Structures are given as structure tokens and as C-alpha cells.
Amino acid sequence: MLKGLYFMGWYRDMWNYHPSLPQKNMQMVDDISDIHANMLIWSSLGSGAIGLPYMEKEAFGDTSPRMRLYGFMNDSEFCHECAKRGVKVFSVLWKAQLWEFGAEFNEDESKLLSLNILRGASKNHKYVGMSELSTNKYPKLFDPIEKFFPNGLLDWQGKKVGDFLQEFKSTSLEGRNILSAWLMAPNHDHKCYSPCCNKESYLTYMKRDVELMIDAGAGGLHIDEYDTQKHILSNAGCFCPECLDKFRRYLKKNNIALPADAGSLDAFDYRKYLLGKGYTDENLLAFNGNDRWDIPLYRHFFNMQMDSIEWVVRELSTHAKAYGKKARGENFPVTANLFQCMPIAWSSKKHLDLLAGEKTAITLRQDGWYKFAFGWLNGKECCFVEDPNQYVRDMLVDIKNGINDRFIMFALEPIAHGFHVAFPYGSWLQNQVRDAFWPDLRLLKNLGPWLDTNEHLFTKNPVADIAVIYDHNSAYENMVSEPATDVNSTYNKVEKISLKGVEELGRQGAFSNQGDFGNFFNLVQDLSDAQVLYNVIYESPDEILTVERLKGYKKVVVPDAFLLDETSAAALNAFAAAGGAVITYARATAALSKYTNYKQADRAVLVGELAKNKGLVEAADSKKFGIALHKTKTGYSLHILNYSFNEQTHLIDPIAEAAFKLNFSAKSAKVYSFPENSGAVSSLEGNSLKVKNAGIYTVIEIN
């Protein structure tokens, strides 16, 4: 079983300082072993975002005797210690980060007296970051950039690059720097610039970054912020000369005609054209919603930028695998932060060995989303992490008060549905508060071995005869051009916003849920609330819907698939012709018009009808708990998740009795629970199963 740790190791009661993670020590290695973890994500070797000369020190630099006394080591040594124990350390490529940090030096700049956390140690205040390290500003402290690029770094025109920061950073329509502001700590003398990932020079830099990670012993590569261009587009977009050149080529390749007043394509400068027509950065902000598509050619410009996402992921993954094979003679796994499984991720998935991301909007119950995410995985392993919010911060307060109930639910709910969210280990709180997310490690040291002992209960083989289709085409269009009409959307809450507020909203994560495809997600969560057993089938141009994928289901629900393609429609029609039932919800294509359609306002009616379905397990109607059913070698495992959170005590109250009807022959039932010895008992009489005193998490093994 994959048991990942969100292994940032940031200090308690301090800000989370990207990109340089705290130095690792042997106590951490012991913790990893005791938890039975086998993968670390967002964990080490990430500071190429400051500069390769800095990262080399993290990887191979000397550790002082004083630090050795407490078991500290450099990142290369840490990777080696983990590998000896069968733990893969995924280095992190911070793709959206170009850092500059305030620093203090002695007079001849031979000693660095402070960095980031300044203390008035010297009047010699300067900066350390991408600009300084790429121009060899501190030769007494850092190796020259030529060590990593002996022949220099070349730009898209074959010219040698000087200052890497000036070359890499994004430039808005009006020439404004775009910042990855959500990564910066409040009131600090540092800046995190957003790079333009369309730049071939930056891709070359990242590939060299990856080589250094592999040389240092990383067990895998984690590409963070895979969708950097989406973030930049939310903040008005990049109009650097290279983007403008790529846009000209994009228009020519796709035979897209220019407006009558735009002149010839060979001489076309989109930036000058928009500025000449009076457009500003504010017109291009994501919070303008659909108004942006009225700007000449802007939808095409948006599409060109989005297309680059797959290009970069493919190039980095291919390079990492080839270099890993050449340097170490082994297969080198690659993953990426595909964030919230948004529809833009479909084209990147095929280039990754393991899928990762961030689960946003964490709350007590989110089983509908986990059912979706399991379908999105389509057979691949995953290691996601939590995106911090108020609920996560409240959980942390509980933990500090010795109450772990909500944390246990947070850790086990995804696993019940075949998904995996890594256990936090000093993980990110987005500088929303001055702290890091540290669970009670004693709890994790019980949970990891418990999962290993009972791995036979977690087969990732969910049982259902109802399928719900997630249509990529419709979800993507909803994300891009219809968020203003989506009741769950950030756009719906803020009509307009000026540039002044963009950085602060970005820091708060306000861009995270744009275009949430609410008709789909509201439906699946309602089905989970109603104890309906269903599976989600994710379809995209890479994961085509076929009759074979529908095999074994009796009913298929198709929510809001207004752009369903002909191939998918044909598969659904063939399924219906063979005796299956097709139901559409909200918008539907003409190809499915002959089937029963439930309007958006009739969601509760549809859920009620589907709840009448006689699945293998029928649960008494109760929103106090949720269920998951998996096929095992000897029968089934029924997972019961207790959502009875007590607002006064902050504990999850036991369920006095949960009753189930089993529509199959059952010989025996055995109870497992976490925490163990919670007092849960079961009784089986014929096809009637009763579970009494179910705690936070209970599994019934039915033979």
C-alpha cells in the first residue's frame, strides 16, 4: 500500500519559507520508518528556484560538526538513507517560482550573515536569488553559473542569456511583473516572481535542475505547479517576445484569421495591437470572466498558453526518465502536482507514472469528490496533499488540544474510496497562519502499521452497478467560459477586481476553484450522502468512453455533458441498446435526447430515484455516516465512515447502530476499526447486518 508523507518538515510556529525546506536529520528518518511510509512528496532538493549554485549546496554541501551532533545531513545523504529503507524521496521542482531574498553580508561578501530572516547583522544589505546567482555576484560564496552551463544558457533565438531572472520572468500586457504571491510570507524582504513556462531557456534550466536532483539521489521527480501558465493567465497573461512569437506561429498553424485592422500576420505584435486598442491588464484578469472572450483573439491566445502545459510536463518527464536511466541505470518515476484534477490535467496524465495534486476545500465529508478522483485516476496510483483552509487550521487546533478525531477521518476517508492523501509531516499552511501542519506522530506510527496489517481490506475494487460519467469536454468549457454562471464559482462571488487586490487574493488561494463543474460535483456528493453505491467514469481524448468501460453497470448517469463527443455518445447508445439505462442530468447533447432528462432543479428527485436502486449493500438512510464497498478475494469489505462530529466536544460520537441489507449470500462478518479497540461489534443474521458502537472508521470484512 502506498503511504506517502507530505514531507516538508517546516518548523512549528514559523512561517513556511519556500523554496528552501528545513535541513533533514536522522530522527526524521526514524519517524518515516516508524510510520511505515514509503514515499515522500514535496520533500527535498527544491531550491533551484533560488539558483542552481544554491541548490548544489543543499544537495552536497558540508554539514557543520555542531549539526552532525544532532544527526543532520545534506539532501543527498538524506535521499541515500531513505533509499536504504525502501523509501522514495521525490525531489520537488518548484516550476512557478523565481526567488529573490534579502540578505546581509560582511564587507568583502565572503560570509553570508543572514538570509530571508534579517537581523541587522550588517549594513551590507543586498539580495540572493535567481538574478545574483546567474550573474556570479558572490564568487566567494557560490560556484559560478558556468559550472552548470559551460557554454552558457541560450534563449529561443540562440542568444546567450545574462540575468536569468530578467529572462525567465513573465511580463504582463502593460509590462508588470507577475508574482506567485501565495508563496510569500507576510512582511518579509523577499519576492517570488512567476516565470513564463513558454520560454525554451527556462525549460533548459529546469532540465539541468532535474539532472542535479538525480545526481543527488532523488528517488523520483515531483513537478510542482504544472499549470503555471493558468496562474499567469489569471493574472493577465504573459506578453513576452517569445510568447508573442509562439502566438504568431499558433495562429498560422491553425489558420486563424487576424482582425481586419491587425495588419499582416508575419509582422503581427499582439501586445502592441491590444495596447493600441486601449486594453489594459485589468481587462485581462480572470475575474472579468466571460468578458475576456470579447477581446480580439484572446481566446486563441488563452488556448495557446494552455497548450504549453502539456509540452513542459512531457519534456521534463521524458528528460528525467532518460537521464535517470543513463546516470543510474534505473527507471526514474515522475509525478506532478495536477492540483484539483481540473480538466486541463487530462493531457499531462499520460506522461506521469504516479498522479499527485492538492485537494482543496477540505472539510469533514468529501466522499463525493474522492469517488470522482478515483475515477479520474483510471487505474494509476496517486499521492495527493491537502490544500490548507480554515477547516485544516481548525483540525490543527484540535490536534494541539490532544483531539485527533477529525484528523483520523481526514487521513482515512480517501483511502476508503481507493484514493490517497499523504499524511502531513510539517506541511504547508500557505502562510495563512504562522505555523506548519504537524499531526500527532504517535497516531501516525499506529496508523501506518495498521494499514499494512489490514491491507487485504483496501483492494481498490469498488462495487457498484451505477456509473456517473465525467465528460472532460464539458468540464473544460465550464471552467474556461462558463464560470460566471456556476453557482459554486469564485467568479460568482466577485464581479470585478482591480490589480491592487490580485496579489492578496492569490496569496489566499482565491483562484483555486474557478469553474468547478458544479452540476457534476453537487450530484455525486448528493449520491454519496444518500448512501448510493456508484462509480465515476472519467472520459477525455486520452481516455475514450467505450462499451467495454460501461460493462457491468445497469444504469449510467450523464450530468451536464453538453459537449459530449460523438464517440462517447455512440458508446452510451450501444450500452442502452444492450439493455442498460441512460439518464441525463442538466444539459445534454442532442445525441442523448431520447433518454430521460432531469433538469438542474430536479437533482433531489434524480437522487431519490437512484437511491431506490437495489445495490449489493443497502444502508439505512442516515447522513451520520458514509459507506464504501470493495470486492476482496473472499467476499467484500464494507467501510463505514462516521461523520457524527460533535461541535461542543470536537469529538466524533460513536454510532449506536447502523443497519445494512446485504443482497448477496454472506457467511461471516468480522470487525476492524481505527483507532483499534473502539468497541465496535457486528451481528449477521441472514442478509441483515448490524454494526453497533461504530467509531470514527470501521471496516466489516464479509465472507
Side-chain angles (χ1 to χ4, degrees), residues 19-20 119 140 186 198 201 412 477 537:
S20 191
R119 56 192 178 90
K140 296 177 181 178
N198 261 334
S201 58
L412 284 171
E477 192 60 31
I537 297 178

Side-chain angles (χ1 to χ4, degrees), residues 14-318:
M14 285 188 70
W15 299 113
N16 303 163
Y17 292 122
H18 283 75
S20 191
L21 298 163
Q23 193 168 1
K24 308 301 190 290
N25 59 51
M26 284 302 298
Q27 180 57 53
M28 293 178 169
V29 176
D30 289 343
D31 287 342
I32 295 164
S33 296
D34 291 344
I35 294 168
H36 287 206
N38 46 31
M39 175 179 176
L40 309 183
I41 196 163
W42 275 275
S43 56
S44 68
L45 294 166
S47 291
I50 298 174
L52 285 168
Y54 183 99
M55 179 179 163
E56 186 183 47
K57 288 185 179 296
E58 281 192 340
F60 302 109
D62 291 337
T63 300
S64 70
R66 186 180 183 186
M67 299 294 281
R68 291 290 190 195
L69 185 70
Y70 286 90
F72 283 92
M73 54 198 143
N74 63 37
D75 279 9
S76 176
E77 293 166 333
F78 174 69
C79 289
H80 178 68
E81 290 301 321
C82 288
K84 283 180 358 186
R85 294 159 174 82
V87 178
K88 285 191 178 296
V89 178
F90 277 68
S91 58
V92 56
L93 182 70
W94 307 109
K95 187 166 150 283
Q97 305 182 29
L98 304 171
W99 283 94
E100 291 287 313
F101 287 98
E104 295 169 321
F105 297 85
N106 65 349
E107 286 301 317
D108 68 352
E109 296 176 349
S110 62
K111 289 185 179 180
L112 183 62
L113 302 179
S114 70
L115 178 66
N116 181 42
I117 301 176
L118 306 181
R119 56 192 178 90
S122 168
K123 294 181 181 179
N124 195 6
H125 175 276
K126 296 186 178 180
Y127 289 88
V128 171
M130 186 64 66
S131 176
E132 292 75 19
L133 297 182
S134 65
T135 55
N136 301 327
K137 180 136 184 161
Y138 307 114
K140 296 177 181 178
L141 289 171
F142 296 97
D143 286 341
I145 197 66
E146 287 77 16
K147 178 177 180 179
F148 308 96
F149 298 102
N151 299 317
L153 178 66
L154 304 181
D155 69 9
W156 58 294
Q157 294 177 317
K159 298 177 183 177
K160 187 174 180 179
V161 175
D163 187 323
F164 288 9
L165 176 62
Q166 297 305 316
E167 166 66 14
F168 296 158
K169 67 182 182 179
S170 295
T171 305
S172 74
L173 178 66
E174 295 182 274
R176 177 176 56 91
N177 290 326
I178 296 173
L179 299 179
S180 297
W182 71 92
L183 300 163
M184 299 188 298
N187 304 314
H188 278 64
D189 185 14
H190 60 217
K191 282 285 190 293
C192 183
Y193 295 87
S194 297
C196 172
C197 293
N198 261 334
K199 290 182 178 287
E200 294 178 28
S201 58
Y202 187 50
L203 178 60
T204 301
Y205 179 85
M206 288 191 289
K207 287 180 177 179
R208 184 66 184 90
D209 205 348
V210 169
E211 291 174 6
L212 183 52
M213 293 171 178
I214 293 172
D215 291 342
L221 171 67
H222 176 69
I223 305 167
D224 193 31
E225 299 138 340
Y226 84 111
D227 58 346
T228 303
Q229 294 306 103
K230 180 177 179 290
H231 155 68
I232 292 167
L233 285 162
S234 296
N235 286 271
C238 181
F239 288 81
C240 70
E242 192 164 348
C243 279
L244 298 178
D245 179 73
K246 281 183 164 60
F247 188 44
R248 278 192 296 271
R249 286 189 270 158
Y250 179 89
L251 295 173
K252 185 175 292 186
K253 177 182 176 182
N254 292 282
N255 297 313
I256 297 168
L258 296 181
D261 60 349
S264 69
L265 180 56
D266 289 337
F268 181 58
D269 185 318
Y270 190 44
R271 182 182 185 192
K272 287 183 179 179
Y273 177 75
L274 291 183
L275 289 172
K277 296 183 78 67
Y279 290 106
T280 66
D281 284 352
E282 289 199 15
N283 299 124
L284 304 180
L285 293 176
F287 280 102
N288 288 302
N290 294 338
D291 291 347
R292 290 187 296 170
W293 314 132
D294 294 331
I295 298 171
L297 297 175
Y298 190 73
R299 179 65 188 263
H300 297 298
F301 185 73
F302 180 95
N303 290 342
M304 181 274 295
Q305 295 279 7
M306 297 294 273
D307 284 352
S308 71
I309 292 173
E310 183 199 356
W311 169 60
V312 176
V313 171
R314 182 186 68 241
E315 287 289 317
L316 289 173
S317 179
T318 301

